[in-house]
Amino acid sequence: MAANPLITFTDVSVRFGHITAINAFTHSVDSGEFVSLVGPSGCGKSTVLRLASGLIQPTTGDIERSTDNVGYVFQDPTLMPWRTVRKNGELLGELEDIDPGERRQRADEVLELVGLSDFANHYPLQLSGGMKMRASLARSLLLEPDLFLFDEPFGALDQISRARLNDELIALYADRRFGSIFVTHSVDEAVYLATRVLVMCSRPGKIVAEFSVPFDYPRDPSIRYSPEFTKIAGSVAEALEEAS
Amino acid sequence: MTGSMEAGMIDSSPEELSRYARLKTQFRIGLPPVLVFFVFLGLWYVVTYFVLSADRRWLLPPPHQVVAEGFFVGSTVTEILNGLWQSTKVALMGLGLAFLFGFSMALAMSQAKWIERSLYPWAVASQTVPILALVPMIGFWFGFGVLARVIVCFIISLFPIIINSLTGLLSADRELHSLFTLHNASRWRRATRLQIPAALPHIFTGLRTAAGLSVIGAIVGDFFFGRGEPGLGLLLDKYASRLQSEELFTTVFVACLLGIAVFWGFGYLGRRTVGDWDPYWAEEGLT
Ligand SMILES: Nc1ncnc2c1ncn2[C@@H]1O[C@H](COP(=O)(O)OP(=O)(O)OP(=O)(O)O)[C@@H](O)[C@H]1O
Ligand SMILES: [Mg+2]
């Protein structure tokens, strides 16, 4: 694969007071790559995403990013309860001063993409957890980011919604090939989605293992039961066990 | 929605059933307070006729007599309605000022920690001030007319407005703030698109509480500032000193009604404004 780094971390460390959250973190994500990040709780995964987005700055080290168009999906849907689904979808367009007609049209398109067209005029209060997450996904799709950051977005969902959203995300990725860093606690989800899985350890957080996942996109749900998938997932789980 | 309409066309019973169920619910919610009211009336009669001797009956005239003399004597009705109007006006002006000032203060506090730290203790202090202790000074500075009364209402209703507005303004989701930061939103944008909308449910809660207090302020203020058109407070004072107990009770009743009306009015405004999306106010709508 031609090296076309979207974001590069060079020897990055982050300290909060005297806690070293991340140390000697060196890694890069190429454009079009889907990287999953797993690790024990508190190891610094969210911190990596916050660094990648520019929300926080490294204490030492360097981060280089070749794009400013970054999408961020949080663990909670974090919709604005006072806005309808469509208006929530328009938010980032508003913040980027896209004109109203254009952003409304784009919002309708992304809602269509995540299957929420029929709920455009509903308030978040009226949606299920899975639908809220879809709306949140739609919101960050509006600006067609080059780099997508996901912080355990499906962690709070039931198994069925989660599997369905995994497939929808894969379809989106197969279509658009945005670069991604996807944080999750589920080894199965990490392997199923990604081209590459990174395993982090804690105190201080750094990458201890890396696995590439050879399956093509779009992926068929049945690959989950293939021996190759099981083997990779097994190795990831083992590395995670060791890191914890 | 269409589902229930279709169901209605095929067989009207589900809709009938739901209307019946709704009536039943309303009945169940409405009945106990009504019963309490009748028990209260009963007790009133008992006290009037069995506890009080005839020569002391004027201390608590029977309800029907209160209604007859308080609500059906033209001059009294005019006088009380006038007082009601005066008190309402004073309460709403005080509340309006308290809202303008309190909300601005909360907005300033939500914009910088140092402003919050500087003003918060004073906001709390404004609540601990015994308002009666200030009354003579207010009269001294602002005279004994409408302005003084409005200021009492202002002081008494300020605290819940500040605190609720501030809580609301600070309640906006952290990650939503992150999105605004990532997209370089100006302070103005963050305030108008994120903090103020997030604060609305709390603001209405604060307004409703403050409105009730403001009515109390208007009536209490009346007692102390004798000049100007009499409000309900002055009427209470006058009827009590002249032993006009029927008129006195009617005025008390009207004052209660004003309190209820104000509470309900702001509740209604809250439901209308944020009831569609805020879980708390949506629930309020059901009761
Ligand atoms: N703002 C902060 N101030 C102080 N310490 C922080 C801050 N943010 C994170 N930390 C610390 O940094 C470490 C890494 O936190 P981070 O949230 O990145 O972990 P995580 O891997 O995302 O955990 P989880 O899987 O539970 O979400 C933790 O020890 C946490 O306590
Ligand atoms: Mg985290």
Side-chain angles (χ1 to χ4, degrees):
Chain A
M1 197 176 272
N4 180 11
L6 199 53
I7 184 162
T8 308
F9 293 75
T10 314
D11 205 17
V12 167
S13 74
V14 174
R15 275 190 289 278
F16 297 109
H18 30 250
I19 298 175
T20 304
I22 284 181
N23 201 32
F25 192 97
T26 298
H27 203 80
S28 80
V29 176
D30 288 345
S31 68
E33 243 194 324
F34 199 117
V35 173
S36 287
L37 188 58
V38 296
S41 185
C43 74
K45 304 180 295 293
S46 299
T47 306
V48 168
L49 295 190
R50 289 159 68 75
L51 283 167
S53 69
L55 271 176
I56 58 171
Q57 298 300 321
T59 313
T60 64
D62 214 48
I63 296 173
E64 231 170 287
R65 208 175 55 198
S66 66
T67 176
D68 277 334
N69 194 353
V70 179
Y72 209 143
V73 182
F74 306 99
Q75 175 158 16
D76 296 317
T78 64
L79 301 172
M80 294 175 149
W82 57 90
R83 290 190 179 211
T84 59
V85 169
R86 177 185 288 117
K87 284 283 176 194
N88 265 289
E90 286 182 35
L91 176 68
L92 301 188
E94 244 171 273
L95 296 182
E96 291 297 328
D97 295 309
I98 296 171
D99 76 67
E102 160 93 20
R103 70 178 184 235
R104 194 194 147 108
Q105 191 192 333
R106 284 207 212 171
D108 284 339
E109 283 166 21
V110 290
L111 288 180
E112 171 92 56
L113 219 50
V114 299
L116 278 183
S117 296
D118 291 344
F119 295 89
N121 294 319
H122 284 54
Y123 287 97
L125 183 67
Q126 303 161 303
L127 304 185
S128 69
M131 286 154 96
K132 281 185 204 159
M133 208 11 111
R134 283 200 171 86
S136 185
L137 207 55
R139 175 176 71 192
S140 43
L141 279 167
L142 187 91
L143 298 175
E144 303 188 347
D146 302 315
L147 175 61
F148 238 122
L149 307 171
F150 298 95
D151 199 347
E152 300 180 43
F154 309 142
L157 302 181
D158 62 279
Q159 272 306 316
I160 294 170
S161 309
R162 187 173 192 158
R164 192 173 300 154
L165 275 159
N166 281 174
D167 288 326
E168 286 172 20
L169 184 57
I170 281 190
L172 280 172
Y173 172 71
D175 185 41
R176 313 197 159 189
R177 299 284 170 164
F178 37 74
S180 310
I181 307 178
F182 189 100
V183 169
T184 175
H185 276 288
S186 154
V187 170
D188 177 81
E189 183 175 69
V191 176
Y192 185 58
L193 293 174
T195 52
R196 209 144 53 86
V197 180
L198 305 177
V199 181
M200 274 179 83
C201 71
S202 51
R203 305 276 146 139
K206 58 169 182 265
I207 293 165
V208 290
E210 181 178 339
F211 303 88
S212 57
V213 185
F215 301 105
D216 288 333
Y217 295 88
R219 291 179 175 173
D220 191 88
S222 65
I223 65 163
R224 282 188 152 114
Y225 311 108
S226 70
E228 204 176 357
F229 186 97
T230 317
K231 190 163 153 263
I232 298 169
S235 320
V236 172
E238 216 168 282
L240 186 57
E241 186 79 15
E242 237 164 79
S244 304
Chain B
M1 227 179 275
T2 48
S4 76
M5 270 172 64
E6 278 161 16
M9 275 183 265
I10 299 161
D11 178 3
S12 66
S13 68
E15 204 169 313
E16 294 266 299
L17 209 73
S18 85
R19 181 178 303 155
Y20 174 71
R22 213 164 36 237
L23 265 176
K24 215 166 93 176
T25 316
Q26 279 169 356
F27 197 66
R28 220 182 37 228
I29 293 171
L31 191 63
V34 171
L35 281 180
V36 169
F37 178 69
F38 280 110
V39 170
F40 172 75
L41 276 189
L43 281 175
W44 185 340
Y45 275 113
V46 168
V47 172
T48 305
Y49 289 114
F50 299 102
V51 178
L52 295 172
S53 54
D55 56 328
R56 295 175 69 229
R57 195 151 290 151
W58 56 269
L59 281 174
L60 187 67
H64 62 265
Q65 201 173 320
V66 169
V67 171
E69 296 190 27
F71 290 92
F72 291 99
V73 176
S75 59
T76 309
V77 170
T78 318
E79 193 172 49
I80 291 177
L81 282 183
N82 240 325
L84 174 65
W85 167 234
Q86 283 305 320
S87 295
T88 309
K89 209 168 62 181
V90 164
L92 288 182
M93 283 197 290
L95 182 68
L97 280 180
F99 176 71
L100 286 181
F101 185 79
F103 177 73
S104 310
M105 202 163 143
L107 192 58
M109 283 156 92
S110 72
Q111 297 306 302
K113 264 279 172 265
W114 68 268
I115 304 182
E116 188 189 339
R117 272 201 302 270
S118 320
L119 295 182
Y120 195 85
W122 298 109
V124 174
S126 87
Q127 189 207 22
T128 58
V129 169
I131 188 83
L132 293 185
L134 282 187
V135 161
M137 239 161 53
I138 293 171
F140 188 64
W141 286 334
F142 302 102
F144 294 84
V146 171
L147 181 60
R149 294 172 171 83
V150 169
I151 285 171
V152 169
C153 294
F154 169 80
I155 295 174
I156 210 173
S157 53
L158 189 59
F159 184 73
I161 289 180
I162 294 178
I163 291 308
N164 282 287
S165 301
L166 182 62
T167 308
L169 289 165
L170 296 179
S171 74
D173 187 273
R174 195 180 89 120
E175 311 289 26
L176 277 171
H177 271 293
S178 296
L179 282 184
F180 276 66
T181 306
L182 284 176
H183 292 274
N184 304 315
S186 63
R187 185 181 286 279
W188 170 253
R189 243 189 201 172
R190 199 184 286 267
T192 53
R193 310 256 167 115
L194 177 56
Q195 294 178 295
I196 294 175
L200 282 177
H202 299 265
I203 290 175
F204 279 106
T205 305
L207 267 178
R208 189 165 64 172
T209 311
L213 289 172
S214 191
V215 167
I216 295 174
I219 290 168
V220 170
D222 233 26
F223 273 116
F224 293 94
F225 309 119
R227 246 169 266 156
E229 291 256 349
L232 293 177
L234 268 185
L235 290 181
L236 287 172
D237 200 32
K238 177 177 130 187
Y239 295 143
S241 61
R242 294 187 191 168
L243 307 183
Q244 291 174 288
S245 47
E246 287 85 2
E247 286 83 349
L248 180 64
F249 284 110
T250 310
T251 312
V252 169
F253 184 68
V254 168
C256 293
L257 280 187
L258 176 58
I260 292 172
V262 161
F263 186 85
W264 187 86
F266 280 95
Y268 178 77
L269 219 65
R271 283 194 298 277
R272 282 299 297 264
T273 316
V274 304
D276 281 344
W277 54 266
D278 182 70
Y280 171 77
W281 283 99
E283 285 283 312
E284 282 282 295
L286 298 177
T287 56

